[in-house]
Amino acid sequence: MDLVFLIGVVWTLSRSVRSLLGRSKPGFRGARSSNSRRKADPAKGRTARDPVCGMFVSTEVSHQLVRGNETLHFCSQACLEQYEKKTAKA
Ligand SMILES: [Zn+2]
């Protein structure tokens, strides 16, 4: 039971750190827009939101689940399985 609590604490901390890092990105992007336009590659660096834990993951390295005509992206296999379980129940 102590291990479960510890995982919860680490999880919460890593999420808050990631959200802080994510917020600093848009400002930087806007400042250097003229330079990044030269090598525009829309496929690279695209991110999607993990519907289970809420973090943003690169679609290049994400664990993907195709559902109907949409593709969902997860940060890990664990999140993907959690989502499948959740939607199977509903
Ligand atoms: Zn996740």
Side-chain angles (χ1 to χ4, degrees):
M1 283 304 158
D2 285 339
L3 183 65
V4 174
F5 175 76
L6 186 68
I7 288 170
V9 171
V10 172
W11 190 260
T12 308
L13 281 172
S14 65
R15 271 188 68 179
S16 54
V17 167
R18 278 180 185 128
S19 67
L20 281 170
L21 287 172
R23 268 173 210 169
S24 65
K25 269 183 184 175
F28 178 76
R29 206 182 190 178
R32 299 270 174 184
S33 59
S34 59
N35 195 27
S36 61
R37 191 179 280 183
R38 216 180 91 219
K39 282 192 173 182
D41 190 352
K44 228 176 187 183
R46 187 176 286 179
T47 56
R49 190 172 169 274
D50 183 328
V52 175
C53 66
M55 69 173 271
F56 285 87
V57 290
S58 169
T59 55
E60 285 183 82
V61 296
S62 65
H63 294 254
Q64 296 173 12
L65 174 69
V66 179
R67 191 154 267 227
N69 55 4
E70 64 175 342
T71 306
L72 294 158
H73 299 271
F74 301 89
C75 67
S76 64
Q77 186 67 31
C79 276
L80 195 156
E81 284 171 8
Q82 204 178 315
Y83 183 84
E84 283 186 311
K85 276 183 198 170
K86 209 190 273 180
T87 51
K89 275 182 187 174

